[in-house]
Amino acid sequence: QVRLVESGGGSAQPGGSLRLSCTSSGSNFRLVAMSWYRQAPGKQRELVATISSSGSTNYVDSVKGRFTISRDNVWTRVYLQMDNLKPEDTAVYYCNHGSWRGREYWGQGTQVTVSS
């Protein structure tokens, strides 16, 4: 059973930074793509960033140049470094584990609030 544990959410002022971390267990982590999603109140969950098993990355346009996704295959963690935060980044952020034995997995979510 895959388990994802997220940490690092919290509050920041506009222009500030936060770093999210997601620790995975129960799969061959290095073989799967990992992603971060977010969901703001009243909005659909959206894909923020993905990192493939080979390390290639993709970002939604709204965070390009501000957010960086990375992974550590030794510690089976994926990170989301969020810089130059904006109020519109406020959301619950979810770690997503790519398909493993037929299904995807989600973390519990961590709140990120950006306000002055």
Side-chain angles (χ1 to χ4, degrees):
Q1 182 76 6
V2 174
R3 184 167 181 249
L4 302 172
V5 179
E6 300 169 11
S7 62
S11 297
Q13 293 187 338
S17 297
L18 288 172
R19 189 192 196 205
L20 306 183
S21 177
C22 172
T23 302
S24 175
S25 61
S27 73
N28 197 336
F29 180 81
R30 66 180 63 248
L31 298 182
V32 298
M34 298 294 295
S35 301
W36 287 96
Y37 285 72
R38 66 186 179 187
Q39 187 166 20
K43 294 188 177 181
Q44 289 188 331
R45 190 173 295 190
E46 71 166 345
L47 175 61
V48 176
T50 297
I51 185 165
S52 72
S53 58
S54 63
S56 61
T57 59
N58 283 288
Y59 301 89
V60 67
D61 285 347
S62 59
V63 308
K64 284 181 180 177
R66 301 189 297 119
F67 290 11
T68 303
I69 188 171
S70 61
R71 65 189 297 157
D72 184 331
N73 288 339
V74 174
W75 293 101
T76 63
R77 291 175 183 159
V78 61
Y79 303 98
L80 186 67
Q81 177 67 41
M82 304 184 293
D83 298 318
N84 191 20
L85 283 162
K86 302 178 179 180
E88 52 264 42
D89 295 320
T90 296
V92 178
Y93 284 70
Y94 296 91
C95 176
N96 172 270
H97 182 290
S99 182
W100 178 253
R101 294 180 179 173
R103 60 162 290 188
E104 295 184 5
Y105 296 85
W106 295 89
Q108 78 280 9
T110 185
Q111 177 70 46
V112 170
T113 302
V114 183
S115 69
S116 54

